[in-house]
Amino acid sequence: MKVIMTGGGTGGHIYPAIAIADKIRRKHPDAEVLFIGTERGMEKDLVPKSGYEIRFITVSGFNRKKLWKNFKTALDLAKGNHQANKIISDFKPDLVIGTGGYVCGPVVRAAHKKGIRTFIHEQNAFPGVTNKLLEKYVDKVFVSFSESKEYFKDQSKLIVTGNPIRKSFLTCGMGNSRDKLEIKPNEFVLLCFGGSLGAGKINSTMIHVLEAFNGLPDARVFFITGRNYYHKVLESIKEQGIELSGNIKVLEYVDNMHEYLSSSDLVISRAGALTVSEITACGKAAILIPSPNVTGNHQYFNAKVVADKGGAVILEEKDLTEEKLLGTVMRLKNNKEALNSMSAASGKAGRMDATDVIYDHLGI
């Protein structure tokens, strides 16, 4: 059996594809799985690191602000269509699964035209443009949130699956993870991250929280800045004359996010679909700060799904201040009952069988 996975740009599109591929491999050890992405996206590094072969095509997104740039987009699309056709003709897959990002368009359409079974997965509560356009070319549309069903036309194709997350997030326990990270059982753990590349506003606001927690007994803070902001954050801390105590760790990036997330009591993060799914799968209370720089404000809708069920507090970036963030953190830290209630609600909002449900509907 041969399977093509396609999706890219950010980890939010790539990690679900890897999770689905891993499930297929566990069920069919002899299956050949090929990824198709772009050389500009994170898939270039993440996919080979996960043990899969990847090939690249040329594709770029539509520019809504600078329309003249879309001439190049059209040229890229024509080139990408040709490249996708060739890869599919050479590889001869039995099915193609897209998990979002512009790269999915040429690949899924080419497979459909060749009569190959096709599927897409939508991670966000507010669907992306590419997946809405691809709906008519696929056999099934897997969606993470029931709230996103209204944005698709053919309801008969829709299956609510949840978001596929890596097995490590489902199997790690708090006690074991804290042992690995050398965290004491009684310590309050605050985890902050803004995605693999980081989030500037969260990072700058978070420094005030670091200062408040610096040297605080029985409290630990893990602040993952993202690769784009790490040195800038360290410089800001130095400029403000803050000498960090041992209970504060500022990190650029971590590969074992499942251990940090499992160890935490409270999480501060963006509200990308994958992030929200991992937080809820681990049953963690969260302060979610949706990115305002995404299509259709979809991160707000992702956050709202969990917040409406009591598992998270939403702080919109336009309202984010040092005082408001610290005040929200301290209110939850000092109210164990409220924190536990949020954690329980978060866990109920999560779904841990997404890869199983998707696999069961692939017909393989």
Side-chain angles (χ1 to χ4, degrees):
M1 182 178 62
K2 294 184 176 182
V3 179
I4 283 180
M5 303 295 309
T6 181
T10 66
H13 293 311
I14 302 160
Y15 284 122
I18 292 171
I20 295 169
D22 287 347
K23 177 68 177 182
I24 293 172
R25 276 265 181 91
R26 287 195 296 272
K27 289 287 188 177
H28 302 273
D30 296 329
E32 293 182 52
V33 180
L34 174 68
F35 278 70
I36 299 178
T38 72
E39 290 190 278
R40 292 180 289 105
M42 291 175 64
E43 61 268 26
K44 180 181 179 182
D45 299 316
L46 294 178
V47 170
K49 194 172 184 178
S50 298
Y52 294 100
E53 180 186 355
I54 184 168
R55 297 183 194 173
F56 304 108
I57 66 172
T58 301
V59 66
S60 55
F62 185 78
N63 194 313
R64 294 174 176 81
K65 294 181 179 179
K66 298 178 181 178
L67 296 179
W68 58 271
K69 287 193 173 184
N70 291 313
F71 178 71
K72 183 179 182 302
T73 299
L75 293 177
D76 286 345
L77 182 60
K79 186 176 181 180
N81 285 334
H82 175 74
Q83 293 167 326
N85 265 298
K86 186 176 187 313
I87 293 171
I88 290 171
S89 295
D90 291 344
F91 188 69
K92 297 180 175 58
D94 296 291
L95 65 156
V96 171
I97 305 169
T99 56
Y102 296 114
V103 70
C104 289
V107 180
V108 171
R109 284 195 300 268
H112 171 76
K113 289 178 181 177
K114 294 178 184 295
I116 297 166
R117 291 187 300 127
T118 54
F119 305 83
I120 54 174
H121 181 271
E122 173 56 56
Q123 292 89 45
N124 293 296
F126 186 87
V129 173
T130 300
N131 275 347
K132 285 192 285 187
L133 292 174
L134 289 177
E135 176 189 2
K136 62 184 177 182
Y137 299 108
V138 301
D139 295 70
K140 295 290 181 183
V141 178
F142 303 123
V143 295
S144 294
F145 301 98
S146 59
E147 288 82 356
S148 64
K149 292 172 68 175
E150 64 182 280
Y151 300 102
F152 291 97
K153 296 177 181 179
D154 189 347
Q155 297 292 303
S156 67
K157 290 185 176 183
L158 301 181
I159 300 169
V160 180
T161 65
N163 216 332
I165 60 177
R166 290 161 285 174
K167 194 175 180 180
S168 57
F169 285 89
L170 304 176
T171 56
C172 65
M174 177 182 274
N176 188 45
S177 295
R178 286 199 169 202
D179 287 343
K180 289 183 178 179
L181 298 176
E182 299 182 345
I183 301 169
K184 296 176 183 177
N186 64 317
E187 290 182 314
F188 173 85
V189 177
L190 175 65
L191 172 66
C192 176
F193 60 95
S196 55
L197 298 179
K201 183 66 181 289
I202 293 177
N203 285 346
S204 60
T205 309
M206 187 63 191
I207 293 175
H208 185 60
V209 177
L210 293 187
E211 190 171 18
F213 272 79
N214 199 27
L216 195 66
D218 298 325
R220 299 283 293 276
V221 178
F222 295 98
F223 179 23
I224 304 169
T225 65
R227 290 171 173 145
N228 287 353
Y229 294 95
Y230 179 65
H231 295 292
K232 186 176 181 180
V233 167
L234 292 182
E235 288 173 9
S236 295
I237 291 171
K238 185 177 180 180
E239 287 172 1
Q240 294 182 41
I242 304 170
E243 294 186 12
L244 297 180
S245 300
N247 69 319
I248 308 287
K249 296 292 182 187
V250 179
L251 305 163
E252 181 179 7
Y253 183 80
V254 298
D255 289 315
N256 55 334
M257 178 60 83
H258 58 286
E259 292 174 353
Y260 283 91
L261 191 54
S262 178
S263 297
S264 66
D265 293 293
L266 178 63
V267 178
I268 301 171
S269 76
R270 286 299 197 197
L274 182 64
T275 295
V276 169
S277 296
E278 290 170 347
I279 289 171
T280 56
C282 293
K284 299 301 175 181
I287 299 170
L288 298 176
I289 306 169
S291 172
N293 307 311
V294 294
T295 305
N297 199 25
H298 66 251
Q299 286 202 9
Y300 176 81
F301 293 99
N302 295 342
K304 192 172 186 299
V305 170
V306 184
D308 284 351
K309 295 175 181 177
V313 173
I314 299 176
L315 290 182
E316 292 193 69
E317 188 163 301
K318 62 183 175 65
D319 302 320
L320 185 63
T321 63
E322 294 178 342
E323 292 76 17
K324 185 169 287 188
L325 180 60
L326 178 60
T328 306
V329 169
M330 297 308 293
R331 174 172 59 82
L332 292 171
K333 177 185 179 298
N334 295 328
N335 189 336
K336 191 71 173 176
E337 185 177 345
L339 193 65
N340 289 340
S341 177
M342 281 182 67
S343 297
S346 173
K348 289 179 182 178
R351 185 159 182 173
M352 296 182 280
D353 62 346
T355 53
D356 295 332
V357 176
I358 290 171
Y359 175 83
D360 289 343
H361 284 87
L362 295 177
I364 55 177

Coordinates of all heavy atoms in Angstrom, one line a residue, residues 94-149:
D94 N -2.2 4.8 -3.4 CA -3.6 4.3 -3.3 C -4.5 5.3 -2.7 O -5.7 5.3 -2.9 CB -3.6 3.0 -2.4 CG -2.7 1.9 -2.9 OD1 -3.2 1.3 -4.0 OD2 -1.6 1.6 -2.4
L95 N -4.0 6.2 -1.9 CA -4.8 7.3 -1.4 C -3.9 8.5 -1.0 O -2.7 8.4 -0.8 CB -5.6 6.9 -0.2 CG -4.9 6.5 1.1 CD1 -5.8 6.7 2.3 CD2 -4.5 5.1 1.1
V96 N -4.5 9.7 -1.0 CA -3.8 10.9 -0.7 C -4.6 11.6 0.4 O -5.8 11.8 0.4 CB -3.7 11.9 -1.9 CG1 -3.2 13.2 -1.6 CG2 -2.8 11.2 -3.0
I97 N -3.8 12.1 1.4 CA -4.5 12.8 2.6 C -3.8 14.1 2.7 O -2.6 14.2 2.9 CB -4.3 12.0 3.9 CG1 -4.8 10.5 3.7 CG2 -5.0 12.7 5.1 CD1 -4.4 9.6 4.8
G98 N -4.6 15.2 2.7 CA -4.1 16.5 2.9 C -4.5 17.1 4.3 O -5.6 16.9 4.8
T99 N -3.5 17.8 4.9 CA -3.8 18.3 6.3 C -3.7 19.8 6.3 O -3.4 20.4 7.4 CB -2.8 17.7 7.3 OG1 -1.5 17.8 6.9 CG2 -3.1 16.2 7.4
G100 N -3.8 20.5 5.2 CA -3.9 22.0 5.2 C -2.6 22.6 4.7 O -1.5 22.0 4.7
G101 N -2.7 23.9 4.4 CA -1.6 24.6 3.8 C -1.8 24.6 2.2 O -2.4 23.8 1.7
Y102 N -1.2 25.6 1.6 CA -1.4 25.8 0.2 C -0.9 24.6 -0.6 O -1.4 24.4 -1.7 CB -0.6 27.1 -0.3 CG -1.2 28.4 0.3 CD1 -0.4 29.1 1.2 CD2 -2.5 28.8 0.0 CE1 -0.9 30.3 1.8 CE2 -3.0 30.0 0.6 CZ -2.2 30.7 1.4 OH -2.7 31.8 2.0
V103 N 0.1 23.9 -0.1 CA 0.7 22.8 -0.9 C -0.4 21.7 -1.1 O -0.3 20.9 -2.1 CB 1.9 22.2 -0.1 CG1 1.4 21.5 1.2 CG2 2.7 21.3 -1.0
C104 N -1.4 21.6 -0.3 CA -2.4 20.6 -0.5 C -3.2 20.7 -1.8 O -3.6 19.7 -2.4 CB -3.5 20.6 0.6 SG -2.8 20.0 2.2
G105 N -3.4 22.0 -2.3 CA -4.2 22.2 -3.4 C -3.8 21.4 -4.7 O -4.6 20.6 -5.2
P106 N -2.6 21.7 -5.2 CA -2.2 21.0 -6.4 C -2.1 19.4 -6.2 O -2.5 18.7 -7.1 CB -0.8 21.5 -6.6 CG -0.7 22.8 -5.9 CD -1.6 22.7 -4.7
V107 N -1.8 19.0 -5.0 CA -1.6 17.5 -4.8 C -2.9 16.8 -4.8 O -3.2 15.8 -5.4 CB -0.8 17.3 -3.5 CG1 -0.6 15.8 -3.3 CG2 0.6 17.9 -3.5
V108 N -3.9 17.4 -4.0 CA -5.2 16.7 -3.9 C -6.0 16.8 -5.2 O -6.6 15.8 -5.6 CB -6.0 17.4 -2.7 CG1 -7.4 16.9 -2.7 CG2 -5.3 17.1 -1.4
R109 N -5.9 17.9 -5.9 CA -6.6 18.0 -7.2 C -6.0 17.1 -8.2 O -6.8 16.4 -8.9 CB -6.5 19.5 -7.7 CG -7.5 20.4 -7.0 CD -7.6 21.7 -7.8 NE -6.3 22.4 -7.9 CZ -5.9 23.3 -7.1 NH1 -6.6 23.7 -6.1 NH2 -4.7 23.9 -7.3
A110 N -4.7 16.9 -8.2 CA -4.1 16.0 -9.2 C -4.5 14.6 -8.9 O -4.7 13.8 -9.8 CB -2.6 16.2 -9.1
A111 N -4.5 14.2 -7.6 CA -4.9 12.9 -7.3 C -6.3 12.6 -7.6 O -6.6 11.5 -8.2 CB -4.6 12.6 -5.8
H112 N -7.2 13.5 -7.4 CA -8.6 13.4 -7.7 C -8.8 13.1 -9.2 O -9.6 12.3 -9.6 CB -9.4 14.6 -7.2 CG -10.8 14.7 -7.7 ND1 -11.8 13.9 -7.1 CD2 -11.4 15.4 -8.7 CE1 -12.9 14.1 -7.8 NE2 -12.7 15.0 -8.7
K113 N -8.1 13.9 -10.0 CA -8.2 13.8 -11.5 C -7.8 12.4 -12.0 O -8.2 11.9 -13.0 CB -7.4 14.9 -12.2 CG -8.1 16.3 -12.0 CD -7.2 17.3 -12.7 CE -7.8 18.7 -12.5 NZ -7.0 19.8 -13.1
K114 N -6.9 11.8 -11.2 CA -6.4 10.5 -11.6 C -7.2 9.3 -11.0 O -6.9 8.2 -11.1 CB -4.9 10.3 -11.1 CG -3.9 11.2 -11.9 CD -2.5 11.0 -11.4 CE -1.6 12.0 -12.0 NZ -1.4 11.8 -13.5
G115 N -8.3 9.7 -10.3 CA -9.2 8.7 -9.7 C -8.7 8.1 -8.4 O -9.2 7.0 -8.0
I116 N -7.8 8.7 -7.8 CA -7.2 8.2 -6.5 C -8.1 8.8 -5.4 O -8.5 9.9 -5.4 CB -5.7 8.7 -6.4 CG1 -4.9 8.1 -7.5 CG2 -5.2 8.3 -5.0 CD1 -3.5 8.8 -7.6
R117 N -8.3 7.9 -4.4 CA -9.1 8.4 -3.3 C -8.4 9.5 -2.5 O -7.2 9.3 -2.2 CB -9.4 7.2 -2.3 CG -10.4 6.2 -3.0 CD -10.8 5.1 -2.0 NE -9.7 4.3 -1.5 CZ -9.4 4.1 -0.2 NH1 -10.2 4.7 0.7 NH2 -8.4 3.4 0.1
T118 N -9.1 10.5 -2.1 CA -8.5 11.6 -1.5 C -9.3 12.0 -0.2 O -10.5 11.9 -0.2 CB -8.5 12.9 -2.4 OG1 -9.8 13.1 -2.9 CG2 -7.5 12.6 -3.6
F119 N -8.6 12.6 0.7 CA -9.2 13.0 2.0 C -8.5 14.3 2.5 O -7.3 14.5 2.2 CB -8.9 11.9 3.1 CG -9.5 10.5 2.7 CD1 -8.7 9.7 2.0 CD2 -10.7 10.1 3.1 CE1 -9.1 8.4 1.6 CE2 -11.2 8.9 2.8 CZ -10.4 8.0 2.0
I120 N -9.2 15.1 3.2 CA -8.5 16.3 3.8 C -8.9 16.3 5.3 O -10.0 15.8 5.7 CB -8.9 17.6 3.1 CG1 -10.4 17.8 3.1 CG2 -8.2 17.7 1.8 CD1 -10.8 19.2 2.5
H121 N -8.0 16.9 6.1 CA -8.3 17.1 7.5 C -8.2 18.6 7.8 O -7.2 19.3 7.4 CB -7.4 16.4 8.4 CG -7.7 16.6 9.9 ND1 -7.1 17.6 10.6 CD2 -8.5 15.9 10.7 CE1 -7.6 17.6 11.8 NE2 -8.4 16.5 11.9
E122 N -9.3 19.2 8.4 CA -9.3 20.6 8.8 C -9.1 20.7 10.3 O -9.9 20.2 11.1 CB -10.6 21.3 8.4 CG -10.8 22.7 8.9 CD -9.6 23.6 8.5 OE1 -9.4 23.7 7.3 OE2 -9.0 24.2 9.4
Q123 N -8.0 21.4 10.7 CA -7.7 21.4 12.1 C -8.4 22.5 12.9 O -8.7 22.4 14.1 CB -6.2 21.7 12.3 CG -5.2 20.6 11.9 CD -4.9 20.7 10.5 OE1 -4.5 21.8 10.0 NE2 -4.9 19.6 9.7
N124 N -8.8 23.6 12.2 CA -9.4 24.8 12.9 C -10.9 24.8 13.0 O -11.6 24.2 12.1 CB -8.9 26.0 12.2 CG -7.4 26.2 12.3 OD1 -6.9 26.4 13.4 ND2 -6.7 26.2 11.2
A125 N -11.4 25.5 14.0 CA -12.8 25.7 14.1 C -13.4 26.5 12.9 O -14.5 26.3 12.5 CB -13.2 26.3 15.4
F126 N -12.6 27.4 12.4 CA -12.9 28.2 11.2 C -12.0 27.7 10.1 O -10.8 28.0 10.1 CB -12.7 29.7 11.5 CG -13.1 30.6 10.4 CD1 -14.4 31.0 10.3 CD2 -12.3 31.0 9.4 CE1 -14.9 31.8 9.3 CE2 -12.7 31.8 8.3 CZ -14.0 32.2 8.3
P127 N -12.5 27.0 9.1 CA -11.7 26.3 8.1 C -10.9 27.3 7.3 O -11.3 28.4 7.0 CB -12.8 25.6 7.2 CG -14.0 25.5 8.1 CD -14.0 26.7 9.0
G128 N -9.8 26.8 6.8 CA -8.9 27.5 5.9 C -9.5 27.5 4.5 O -10.3 26.7 4.1
V129 N -9.0 28.5 3.7 CA -9.5 28.7 2.3 C -9.2 27.4 1.5 O -10.1 27.0 0.7 CB -8.9 29.9 1.7 CG1 -9.2 30.0 0.2 CG2 -9.3 31.2 2.4
T130 N -8.0 26.9 1.6 CA -7.6 25.8 0.8 C -8.5 24.6 1.0 O -9.0 24.0 0.0 CB -6.1 25.3 1.1 OG1 -5.3 26.4 0.8 CG2 -5.7 24.2 0.2
N131 N -8.8 24.2 2.2 CA -9.7 23.1 2.5 C -11.1 23.3 2.0 O -11.8 22.4 1.5 CB -9.6 22.7 3.9 CG -8.5 21.8 4.3 OD1 -7.8 21.3 3.4 ND2 -8.2 21.7 5.6
K132 N -11.6 24.5 2.1 CA -13.0 24.8 1.6 C -13.0 24.6 0.1 O -14.0 24.1 -0.4 CB -13.4 26.2 2.0 CG -13.8 26.3 3.5 CD -14.5 27.6 3.9 CE -13.6 28.8 3.9 NZ -14.2 30.0 4.4
L133 N -12.0 25.0 -0.6 CA -11.9 24.9 -2.1 C -11.8 23.4 -2.5 O -12.2 23.0 -3.5 CB -10.8 25.7 -2.6 CG -10.9 27.2 -2.6 CD1 -9.6 27.9 -3.0 CD2 -12.1 27.7 -3.4
L134 N -11.1 22.6 -1.6 CA -10.8 21.2 -1.9 C -12.0 20.3 -1.6 O -11.9 19.1 -2.0 CB -9.5 20.7 -1.2 CG -8.2 21.3 -1.7 CD1 -7.1 20.8 -0.8 CD2 -7.9 20.9 -3.1
E135 N -13.0 20.8 -0.9 CA -14.1 19.9 -0.5 C -14.6 19.1 -1.6 O -14.9 17.9 -1.5 CB -15.2 20.8 0.2 CG -16.4 20.0 0.6 CD -17.6 20.9 1.0 OE1 -17.4 22.1 0.9 OE2 -18.6 20.3 1.4
K136 N -14.8 19.7 -2.8 CA -15.5 19.0 -3.9 C -14.6 17.9 -4.6 O -15.1 17.1 -5.3 CB -15.9 20.0 -5.0 CG -14.8 20.8 -5.6 CD -15.4 21.9 -6.5 CE -14.3 22.7 -7.1 NZ -14.9 23.8 -8.0
Y137 N -13.3 17.9 -4.2 CA -12.4 17.0 -4.8 C -12.1 15.7 -4.0 O -11.4 14.9 -4.4 CB -11.0 17.7 -5.1 CG -11.1 18.8 -6.1 CD1 -11.0 20.1 -5.7 CD2 -11.4 18.6 -7.5 CE1 -11.0 21.2 -6.6 CE2 -11.4 19.7 -8.4 CZ -11.3 20.9 -7.9 OH -11.4 22.0 -8.8
V138 N -12.7 15.7 -2.8 CA -12.3 14.6 -1.8 C -13.4 13.7 -1.5 O -14.6 14.1 -1.6 CB -11.7 15.2 -0.5 CG1 -10.5 16.1 -0.8 CG2 -12.7 16.0 0.2
D139 N -13.1 12.5 -1.0 CA -14.1 11.5 -0.6 C -14.6 11.9 0.8 O -15.8 11.7 1.0 CB -13.4 10.1 -0.5 CG -13.0 9.6 -1.9 OD1 -12.0 10.2 -2.5 OD2 -13.6 8.7 -2.4
K140 N -13.8 12.3 1.7 CA -14.2 12.7 3.0 C -13.5 13.9 3.5 O -12.3 14.1 3.2 CB -13.9 11.5 4.0 CG -14.7 10.2 3.8 CD -16.2 10.4 4.1 CE -17.0 9.1 3.8 NZ -18.4 9.3 4.1
V141 N -14.2 14.7 4.4 CA -13.6 15.8 5.0 C -13.6 15.6 6.5 O -14.6 15.5 7.1 CB -14.3 17.1 4.7 CG1 -13.7 18.3 5.5 CG2 -14.4 17.4 3.2
F142 N -12.4 15.4 7.1 CA -12.3 15.2 8.5 C -12.2 16.6 9.2 O -11.3 17.4 8.8 CB -11.1 14.4 8.9 CG -11.1 13.0 8.2 CD1 -10.0 12.6 7.4 CD2 -12.1 12.1 8.4 CE1 -10.0 11.4 6.8 CE2 -12.1 10.9 7.8 CZ -11.0 10.5 7.0
V143 N -13.0 16.9 10.2 CA -12.9 18.1 10.9 C -12.6 17.9 12.4 O -13.1 16.9 13.0 CB -14.2 19.0 10.7 CG1 -14.4 19.4 9.3 CG2 -15.4 18.2 11.2
S144 N -11.9 18.8 13.0 CA -11.5 18.7 14.4 C -12.6 19.2 15.3 O -12.8 18.6 16.4 CB -10.3 19.5 14.7 OG -9.2 19.0 14.0
F145 N -13.4 20.2 14.9 CA -14.5 20.8 15.7 C -15.8 20.7 15.0 O -15.9 21.0 13.8 CB -14.2 22.2 16.0 CG -12.9 22.5 16.7 CD1 -11.7 22.9 16.0 CD2 -12.8 22.4 18.1 CE1 -10.5 23.1 16.6 CE2 -11.6 22.6 18.7 CZ -10.4 23.0 18.0
S146 N -16.8 20.3 15.7 CA -18.2 20.2 15.1 C -18.6 21.6 14.7 O -19.4 21.8 13.8 CB -19.2 19.7 16.1 OG -19.2 20.4 17.3
E147 N -18.0 22.7 15.4 CA -18.4 24.0 15.0 C -18.0 24.4 13.6 O -18.5 25.4 13.0 CB -17.7 25.0 16.0 CG -18.3 25.0 17.4 CD -17.8 23.9 18.3 OE1 -17.0 23.0 17.8 OE2 -18.2 23.8 19.5
S148 N -17.0 23.7 13.0 CA -16.6 24.0 11.6 C -17.5 23.4 10.5 O -17.3 23.8 9.4 CB -15.1 23.6 11.4 OG -15.0 22.2 11.5
K149 N -18.4 22.6 10.9 CA -19.2 21.9 9.9 C -20.0 22.8 9.0 O -20.2 22.6 7.8 CB -20.1 20.9 10.6 CG -19.4 19.7 11.2 CD -20.3 18.8 12.0 CE -21.3 18.1 11.1 NZ -22.1 17.1 12.0

